[in-house]
Amino acid sequence: MNAPFSPSTLDRLRSDLAASPRMLFIDGKFVAAASGETFEVIDPATGQVFAHAAGGDKADVDLAVAAARRALDGAWGKHTPSQRARLMLKLADLIEAAGEELALLESLDNGMPIMMARFGGVMGAAEQLRYNAGWATKITGETIDPSWPGEYHAFTLREPVGVVGSIVPWNFPFVMAVAKIAPALAAGCTVVLKPAEQTPLSAVKLGELIAAAGFPDGTVNIVTGFGKTAGAALVDHPGVDKISFTGSTTTGRSILHAATGNLKRVTLELGGKSPVVIFADADLEKAIPSAAMGIFGNAGQVCAAGSRLFVHESIFDQVVEGVSRRAASLKVGAGITPGTEMGPLVSQVQLDRVLGYIASGASEGATVGVGGARIEGEGYGGYFVQPTVLTGTAAGMKVVEEEIFGPVLCAMKFGDGDIDTIAASANQSDYGLAASLWTRDMSSGLKLAKRLKAGTIRINGGGAGVDPAMPLGGFKQSGWGRENGRMGVEAYTEVKSVTIAL
């Protein structure tokens, strides 16, 4: 099988990464961190350092926010909606043209399979820009007829919220970065982007493409660095009008506290412990592989991963056997290896976390049906763990209650109870990000969908990946607000009411 990329491109990329650290992108220029500090970037498939990036901190965030404010008040703020849209569409084309390099960066940096990086990451990012570019010319207010005595002309305006701090996670670095900046740009905002310290490389390449597209200096600024320094400085900054964050619920809580300084607007897309419910009448030829890849895709490092599997007792053994068979047959390896279906976890910290949860489940009485261990040996020097299926799990166990963020599935039975009973089990979680249902009875499916406390519900597959038109967000501790769709763009605006006495 031929590699889905040119070996010469990979060699050139490795050489370039080894030659010099990746720099910050501030006010249209690539610059070193003010401190001169850099940090190591580790290939999760090998556990070895293969690049360095600038270690930005508060001083760099100050410069980036100032640049974003100048662009907002100046060149970018003077762009018409159609001019904003054209630049966004040009950036989408440039991303596609650089698709091979971007996918390789993503696969090396995060560990995901190269085809996932290419189609889910690069192509998904281009589509985010194209979708949101369409909204740039369609942001409108409305006219209102007040009830006060007299005659008035009253209307509302939607204006950009201002300078936006975007903080993105390491599990889908590039597409998440673009998904953050696209609606902000459509609304007329400027951005300071802080990528995760584990995966900074594709964000720096994004800066190159933004410059090439011709965006005014300062429209988008990129500060690589650590969450406790650069991230905290961005959240605390009084010159930032909104924070959009995707990541852990714990960090989300700390952002809420920090945002009280200037009461900046906040959108949070946080953790999940999403249920997958398979009824007795489900199409198992589709449900079983979907349930498997719903937790093993991207090594389970997905906020909406279907980590809790509820199966009707009459088909439980059949479903668990099918999912376990798929787990055992998955080709696990480096993301750039042809045919890899599941890559490594992103870091040693994440590997220790996942293995710790598996051990915890076993100590609480769960049975490891398949997997459950680190993969070691030749070609597995990085952070590889076996796709794992746990049975005998129950509410109250840590593996059932807490987000693991790894390829670990907790399988549980349900009987012939009513829809309310099934919903109660599925809703027994602090999270409410997503859910997946499998049944041929649409009445049962829709009844359960209405009872589930989750922001995204898919019935019988219900589409793959994240569509930029579909609102994304969670109930309970899975977040605040919604991204994508009209709501996602309007989240980057403020509404102003204007009343004129006639």
Side-chain angles (χ1 to χ4, degrees):
M1 181 177 180
N2 294 325
F5 57 85
S6 166
S8 63
T9 302
L10 177 60
D11 291 342
R12 177 186 58 77
L13 185 58
R14 286 190 186 278
S15 176
D16 182 49
L17 290 169
S20 59
R22 304 299 91 177
M23 304 180 82
L24 311 179
F25 182 63
I26 298 176
D27 205 16
K29 303 175 185 64
F30 284 96
V31 296
S35 66
E37 294 292 324
T38 64
F39 62 93
E40 296 176 340
V41 183
I42 295 174
D43 179 349
T46 65
Q48 301 299 311
V49 175
F50 75 109
H52 290 78
D57 58 21
K58 183 179 183 304
D60 305 290
V61 170
D62 287 343
L63 292 172
V65 172
R69 182 64 62 182
R70 287 193 298 273
L72 182 71
D73 295 337
W76 181 247
K78 292 179 173 61
H79 272 53
T80 65
S82 62
Q83 287 175 320
R84 297 199 301 267
R86 283 196 290 272
L87 282 172
M88 293 172 68
L89 292 171
K90 185 175 181 180
L91 179 58
D93 291 343
L94 290 173
I95 285 172
E96 282 192 345
E100 183 179 55
E101 180 178 343
L102 282 165
L104 282 168
L105 277 172
E106 202 79 328
S107 187
L108 289 169
D109 209 5
N110 163 275
M112 69 174 63
I114 187 72
M115 298 308 288
M116 176 182 287
R118 187 66 184 262
F119 292 102
V122 176
M123 301 303 291
E127 289 310 305
Q128 282 281 353
L129 280 162
R130 290 179 178 131
Y131 173 83
N132 282 284
W135 277 111
T137 55
K138 299 169 187 67
I139 299 172
T140 62
E142 59 181 345
T143 57
I144 298 169
D145 188 11
S147 295
W148 307 317
E151 244 184 300
Y152 303 90
H153 176 54
F155 58 95
T156 61
L157 299 171
R158 281 196 177 271
E159 299 179 350
V161 71
V163 175
V164 175
S166 298
I167 303 176
V168 297
W170 44 258
N171 58 334
F172 291 100
F174 187 71
V175 70
M176 289 298 305
V178 174
K180 291 289 188 193
I181 71 169
L185 294 175
C189 299
T190 55
V191 179
V192 178
L193 173 70
K194 211 297 279 185
E197 56 262 32
Q198 297 88 345
T199 53
L201 302 181
S202 60
V204 178
K205 180 64 180 179
L206 176 61
E208 294 180 16
L209 299 177
I210 287 169
F215 282 83
D217 293 348
T219 303
V220 178
N221 306 271
I222 300 167
V223 179
T224 58
F226 289 85
K228 63 185 179 182
T229 51
L234 187 58
V235 172
D236 289 338
H237 205 291
V240 173
D241 302 297
K242 176 182 172 71
I243 290 289
S244 181
F245 169 78
T246 298
S248 73
T249 298
T250 299
T251 304
R253 289 194 190 97
S254 67
I255 286 173
L256 284 179
H257 288 296
T260 60
N262 67 341
L263 294 181
K264 54 175 61 72
R265 306 310 187 237
V266 177
T267 297
L268 303 172
E269 200 265 280
L270 306 176
K273 194 70 179 176
S274 301
V276 177
V277 181
I278 302 181
F279 287 87
D281 66 342
D283 182 345
L284 298 187
E285 288 188 6
K286 294 180 180 177
I288 289 173
S290 175
M293 296 315 295
I295 184 63
F296 304 136
N298 204 30
Q301 299 171 127
V302 182
C303 53
S307 53
R308 293 183 297 144
L309 178 62
F310 297 90
V311 186
H312 190 273
E313 58 190 4
S314 65
I315 57 170
F316 181 82
D317 291 343
Q318 182 181 356
V319 170
V320 170
E321 180 185 353
V323 172
S324 298
R325 190 163 53 246
R326 183 72 179 105
S329 69
L330 277 173
K331 181 177 180 180
V332 181
I336 61 172
T337 301
T340 289
E341 296 175 286
M342 190 182 99
L345 297 172
V346 76
S347 66
Q348 183 68 50
V349 170
Q350 193 63 16
L351 177 66
D352 292 342
R353 173 186 173 89
V354 172
L355 292 175
Y357 271 108
I358 294 171
S360 170
S363 71
E364 290 185 288
T367 299
V368 180
V370 66
R374 182 175 186 173
I375 304 175
E376 298 182 275
E378 186 177 353
Y380 293 99
Y383 314 120
F384 294 94
V385 67
Q386 296 171 330
T388 301
V389 177
L390 302 179
T391 58
T393 53
M397 292 182 176
K398 284 181 65 176
V399 289
V400 175
E401 300 288 333
E402 300 178 14
E403 184 178 39
I404 299 172
F405 224 62
V408 182
L409 181 65
C410 297
M412 293 162 278
K413 299 178 184 179
F414 66 86
D416 290 324
D418 59 21
I419 295 295
D420 289 329
T421 301
I422 300 169
S425 295
N427 287 333
Q428 194 171 348
S429 172
D430 291 335
Y431 299 104
L433 187 59
S436 179
L437 319 178
W438 291 87
T439 178
R440 286 185 170 93
D441 181 354
M442 282 301 99
S443 178
S444 294
L446 289 172
K447 285 179 179 178
L448 182 55
K450 289 182 177 182
R451 287 162 172 78
L452 290 176
K453 303 299 183 184
T456 296
I457 297 173
R458 292 189 171 97
I459 301 177
N460 295 337
V466 176
D467 190 299
M470 294 297 290
L472 175 68
F475 287 35
K476 298 185 279 188
Q477 294 186 32
S478 285
W480 276 13
R482 293 294 181 269
E483 297 182 298
N484 295 345
R486 177 193 291 270
M487 286 185 285
V489 177
E490 290 182 346
Y492 289 92
T493 66
E494 292 278 25
V495 176
K496 180 182 290 182
S497 296
V498 181
T499 307
I500 306 168
L502 303 180

